[in-house]
Amino acid sequence: EAKLDFERLQEIRDAVGHDFPLVLHGASSVPQDLVEECNKYGGQLPGAKGVPEEMLAQATKLGIAKINIDTDLRLALTATIRKCFVENPANFDPRNYLGPGRAAVKELVKHKMRVLGTSGNA
């Protein structure tokens, strides 16, 4: 499991000032339910781990303005598409698997916005 160095984060915040937005790269939490779903339908992601959401939420209080979570979004999309293909192997219409995939990504983004305290800030 990844860990954030909050002391270093504070040092960086102090060095650059509070008006300078900071970004966390590689900060996906890698939700285990999505890893399990992906693997259940043919994925091969053994031992995939990420940064706990509680740590990411704490980082936002230290001036992190952007958190990159691409792996989480790809997991949501891929797990959903894999499930669609397994449950409906004759389906070849992208609307029937990309639609549910997009909906899964949207739900994950809404969850992340709530957890990270950004809901209503758009």
Side-chain angles (χ1 to χ4, degrees):
E1 187 169 284
K3 294 182 181 179
L4 296 179
D5 186 341
F6 292 110
E7 187 175 314
R8 180 175 291 175
L9 211 57
Q10 186 62 53
E11 289 172 9
I12 294 169
R13 166 57 55 219
D14 293 341
V16 300
H18 291 272
D19 294 329
F20 195 84
L22 299 175
V23 178
L24 278 180
H25 292 270
S28 288
S29 59
V30 188
Q32 291 305 293
D33 60 326
L34 293 177
V35 171
E36 290 168 11
E37 185 87 352
C38 191
N39 289 341
K40 177 180 176 181
Y41 294 102
Q44 296 180 3
L45 305 168
K49 301 282 183 196
V51 180
E53 288 180 335
E54 304 79 38
M55 287 185 172
L56 297 174
Q58 185 178 346
T60 64
K61 294 172 178 57
L62 293 173
I64 296 297
K66 180 180 183 232
I67 299 175
N68 291 347
I69 59 165
D70 180 56
T71 297
D72 291 352
L73 303 179
R74 286 184 287 132
L75 271 171
L77 181 67
T78 301
T80 303
I81 289 173
R82 283 184 172 280
K83 180 179 180 182
C84 288
F85 284 157
V86 168
E87 291 180 349
N88 302 293
N91 181 17
F92 65 95
D93 185 342
R95 292 170 290 198
N96 293 333
Y97 55 85
L98 291 178
R102 187 176 330 141
V105 169
K106 182 178 179 179
E107 288 306 309
L108 181 62
V109 169
K110 287 165 57 175
H111 166 78
K112 293 291 185 177
M113 290 176 71
R114 282 190 300 273
V115 168
L116 300 176
T118 61
S119 294
N121 292 336

